[in-house]
Amino acid sequence: MVPFSKASIFLVCAAFIGLSCSHPTSTLSVKEVVDKTFTNIYHTMRADELSALNEQKVLSLFTPDEHEVLSTRHWSFDVNTPVVVSIFRSIEQKIVPFWLPEQGFTKTTLTAKNENTTYEVWQKKIPAGHVGLGVNGFENYTLHYFVSVAPQSKSAKLILSNLFPSNQTVDSLRVGVPIYHDWEELVLTEIPAELKGEQLLTTIRGRGVESHLIGAFRKTTHPSSAKPDQVMLTWSSDPSTGIDVQWRTDTTIATGTVKYRIKGTNEEFTASAKSYRMEDRVLMNDRYINRFTASLRNLKPATTYEYLVAPQSQWNDLQSFSTPALDNQFSFTWFGDTHYSPKFGDIFVKSAKTYPDAAFYSIAGDQVSDGLYRNQWDDLFEYSKDVISRKPFMSVLGNHDARYGLGASMYRELFSYPKDSPVGVEPERTYAFEYKNALFLMIDCVSPIETQSAWIENQLAKSKATWKFAMFHFPPYNWEEPYLDIQKAWVPIFDKYHVDLVMGGHIHYYMRSNPMKAGKVVSSYNDGTAYIISIGIEAHAREMSPEPYAAVRNNEGPLFQNVRINGNKLSYVSVNAENKIIDSFEIKK
Ligand SMILES: [Fe+2]
Ligand SMILES: [Fe+2]
């Protein structure tokens, strides 16, 4: 007998039961189907039509087979016994995911709650075998549905296997359980009594974006062209002898080189760049760009270089850099959250005028508001371009720079930083460098805290630097939500090796602590650490509960900080948009 082909199975299913067949013939994944659809509609639809897409129009874009992929391949697993699958869908999500009724799920009267929303429960009996579930809808509703599963027979032991996506945990449905791995604090506060103890499949909020087509399209105000732009310096090796030059072009330019020479000489060197394509699928006017990184090495210390990014031919002042002089004098300038705001653009330029000798610039996380929106990074680079083409930009990740559990791929593609991160943290998300007599620990506190402790201790233990600084986004001490996990894991290490400044943001206000050790105020910064929170845009005006350890605090953003080292002396200022110093102090060793 000739077996049915996959195509004929689909046709038979489609003919008898409409679109509720769960055997798509396509081998494509949801991502591949949606990617392909984007490519098609960019060719066939105008920008206004893309922006006006609605549920009905979006559904018409897919073939029956693609429709089936979207209905069954977003989330899947196998069960060893017949089950009841419960889908918990937020009642605030405007449109019910199209596949739920189509695949035979029925809305029940059961509900569950967390402090943000109420979930209605849809159920379906499914035989032993494969269970395939669909996308979260075409709008990007962030409180993604979640799933519980129970055997139809009370005496059966349910085993889930072949989970897709594979990196997920199976928990037990109960009050107090978190649903979203990227928001562990958001726990269930009410569940239906009859579903208690069922096997619970949790998710990340970011998965809603996989099929985001309604209201999804964005434009960048600074699209790429064949001419290199967004030229930026970073360090991914010893700043005394190396620097990385990065830039972008449109996709017509496949290769890139940097020419450089010691200022005042004519001998030219060339470094060729690694190039890689970056995609922001919903960026209508600039979906793909090419990004380049050239690593310049074996530079001479205490030397000024000029460079140019080919095919440019004019050596100019805006593209030069200096390796560190052989002394222990320098300053650096840093900002709290900047959220790609033009306010940050203004204060960034002001800071560079006021302290033009700053050796580099940093932002303590939340550089943009959505780290996977390339148009926001484009704005950030536009504001800072005339400075960061001359001075390295050494930043850390905030919660907004990695989105809803989807990771920080765009941040990692955009910045070239040292790659020896702690085990369990993606390269470049946490890194360290030494500049003159100072050690900088640039830590990603969005990644797990505890697992980075040994790396942090190792960096501090092996450093002979006079000054030790740590920068990370979540401030361990703040009035709103103290980070007890950071206090527990990292503060004892900062105390042991006497870290001088811990710089952060996130709470959108300004605070400098008195010297602190073991969570208590001590008499001198020679003995304790200054914990500083700053803000690079307007602060939130609000009532703040007391912080007995605070030396200075206010709601006066945007601010920038300049930290000046002169051998054994540190001079610190925090400056507002009117160029007025709002806080200053010194440490002498
Ligand atoms: Fe923020
Ligand atoms: Fe934040």
Side-chain angles (χ1 to χ4, degrees), residues 128-155:
H130 186 69
V131 178
L133 306 173
V135 296
N136 197 46
F138 300 116
E139 295 178 300
N140 184 23
Y141 182 70
T142 51
L143 295 183
H144 196 288
Y145 74 81
F146 64 94
V147 183
S148 76
V149 195
Q152 289 178 24
S153 159
K154 284 216 162 72
S155 59

Side-chain angles (χ1 to χ4, degrees), residues 316-327:
N316 69 56
D317 286 346
L318 284 179
Q319 293 189 350
S320 66
F321 62 85
S322 299
T323 48
L326 302 171
D327 58 21

Side-chain angles (χ1 to χ4, degrees), residues 37-103:
T37 305
F38 269 92
T39 302
N40 289 344
I41 59 181
Y42 278 132
H43 284 121
T44 55
M45 295 171 78
R46 299 187 312 266
D48 59 322
E49 292 173 315
L50 294 171
S51 299
L53 281 173
N54 58 24
E55 179 86 0
Q56 198 186 6
K57 181 73 189 161
V58 168
L59 282 170
S60 74
L61 300 173
F62 302 106
T63 65
D65 202 36
E66 290 169 344
H67 187 106
E68 211 48 34
V69 170
L70 297 177
S71 302
T72 56
R73 290 199 181 149
H74 177 69
W75 202 346
S76 65
F77 48 90
D78 291 347
V79 291
N80 63 322
T81 184
V83 290
V84 177
V85 174
S86 299
I87 305 289
F88 294 71
R89 183 194 83 87
S90 167
I91 58 171
E92 276 152 64
Q93 182 187 32
K94 283 190 223 123
I95 303 169
V96 175
F98 64 92
W99 58 273
L100 263 180
E102 285 179 10
Q103 294 283 329

Side-chain angles (χ1 to χ4, degrees), residues 15 58 111 126 152 218 242 303 312 334 356 452 487 518 522 560:
V58 168
T111 58
I126 297 180
Q152 289 178 24
R218 286 178 273 111
T303 303
Q312 291 165 346
W334 71 276
Q452 304 195 64
Q487 290 183 22
V522 294
F560 71 86

